[in-house]
Each structure stands twice: as C-alpha cells, then as structure tokens.
Amino acid sequence: MNDKLSELLNKDTNNELLEYIKNALDKSDESPFWKEKILPFVDAILSVLFPLKEQNLLFTPEGKIEKELNQDLFYKWTDLISLRTLAFTLEISNEKNSLCRTSYKDVNYSKIDLEKLGKYLSSYKVNLIDEDNLDFPVGNYNLHTGMVTIIKSLF
C-alpha cells in the first residue's frame, strides 16, 4: 500500500505516530475538543496493535489472520464495538496464555498489557465486565465515528 498511515504504522513507534497525528491536528482547523479526544483514542488502539504486530499475530475483528499492520486493519479496529471485542479477546488470551478467537493455531503468544485500552473504553462507559451486555451510550459510538472521519482526513 502506498499511503502515509500504512507507512507510519509499519516503520514508526506508537509515540512517533502519535506525534505525527498531534502535529497534523495542530496544523488542521479542527477544534481543541477533537484534539483532546483523538490522541487517547489512537493511543489506546496502538497500545494493543503494536504488541500484536511485534508478535506477528495481527488479525481482523472477525479473527482472520493479517500479515501487516496497514491503514485498512487500523480502521477496522477503530470501530468502538470491534475495539471492545479486541479487549475481550486479548483478556481471554492473556488468561489462557494463548491467542484465542482467531484463525491462528499453535502460535507463541505473549501477554499484552490491556491497561490503556481498558481505561480508555471504560472512560466511554463501555462494559468490560459482561461481554454479552453490549450497552454503552449511542452518543459515544457516534463520537468515535466522528473521530475516525477526522483521523482519515489527516492522512
């Protein structure tokens, strides 16, 4: 892929990518409201995607194996429901010391720190206790849809 986000996802660190987005937001005409929301959102996502990338264990929200972290995969995980699913998948995987709910079989899996992702999702009233209870304010979902639109406009 020849796009800036995919390039950054493959060569940069979490902090470098966040710095790029911060600078792009500073140069944009977006309100400070969006700037305050987008960086923690991207940081929460990258806090789990980069460790999965390092372990060569990337996958889609449907559990299909992905070979690289690119913009398409990143945007799939920006959906709030998908991100919630990822949190539950990794929590179960951490408990079992094995990557679960994916097409991967018999792979080495190292536990992934879920603190940033958990705090982020909890701050938006996402239920991280009962996976079957998909209950959070619709406004929070809509807010995330708006953030994704802005992120796409930065690239």
Side-chain angles (χ1 to χ4, degrees):
M1 291 197 137
N2 264 344
D3 62 76
K4 186 65 175 172
L5 180 55
S6 291
E7 179 186 323
L8 292 171
L9 287 165
N10 279 296
K11 74 175 187 77
D12 288 349
T13 65
N14 186 337
N15 289 337
E16 290 168 330
L17 185 52
L18 289 171
E19 187 66 26
Y20 178 91
I21 291 172
K22 179 186 178 303
N23 290 336
L25 283 167
D26 287 343
K27 292 175 188 171
S28 75
D29 59 355
E30 297 297 338
S31 75
F33 170 84
W34 290 111
K35 294 174 185 177
E36 292 172 8
K37 302 290 182 193
I38 289 174
L39 290 175
F41 177 46
V42 172
D43 191 29
I45 295 167
L46 297 179
S47 76
V48 293
L49 288 185
F50 276 156
L52 285 169
K53 179 179 98 167
E54 290 167 9
Q55 294 183 51
N56 293 315
L57 295 176
L58 293 166
F59 56 94
T60 66
E62 300 78 29
K64 294 180 183 167
I65 294 172
E66 285 285 331
K67 293 298 180 197
E68 70 174 340
L69 180 53
N70 57 38
Q71 76 169 6
D72 294 334
L73 184 59
F74 175 81
Y75 287 130
K76 286 178 184 178
W77 287 118
T78 60
D79 176 81
L80 193 56
I81 296 170
S82 296
L83 198 55
R84 178 183 183 273
T85 300
L86 181 58
F88 277 105
T89 297
L90 295 178
E91 181 179 31
I92 290 166
S93 298
N94 284 351
E95 289 170 5
K96 295 185 176 188
N97 288 315
S98 175
L99 187 57
C100 303
R101 298 180 172 178
T102 70
S103 297
Y104 287 104
K105 302 291 179 227
D106 300 320
V107 293
N108 289 329
Y109 171 79
S110 297
K111 289 182 180 182
I112 293 176
D113 185 351
L114 299 176
E115 184 177 359
K116 275 186 188 177
L117 180 58
K119 282 182 179 178
Y120 180 81
L121 291 172
S122 294
S123 74
Y124 282 94
K125 310 281 190 268
V126 175
N127 183 332
L128 294 174
I129 304 298
D130 180 5
E131 188 172 8
D132 295 328
N133 182 0
L134 186 60
D135 184 27
F136 54 84
V138 171
N140 289 347
Y141 187 84
N142 295 338
L143 174 70
H144 283 79
T145 302
M147 285 193 283
V148 172
T149 301
I150 292 170
I151 292 167
K152 286 180 178 181
S153 76
L154 300 175
F155 294 97

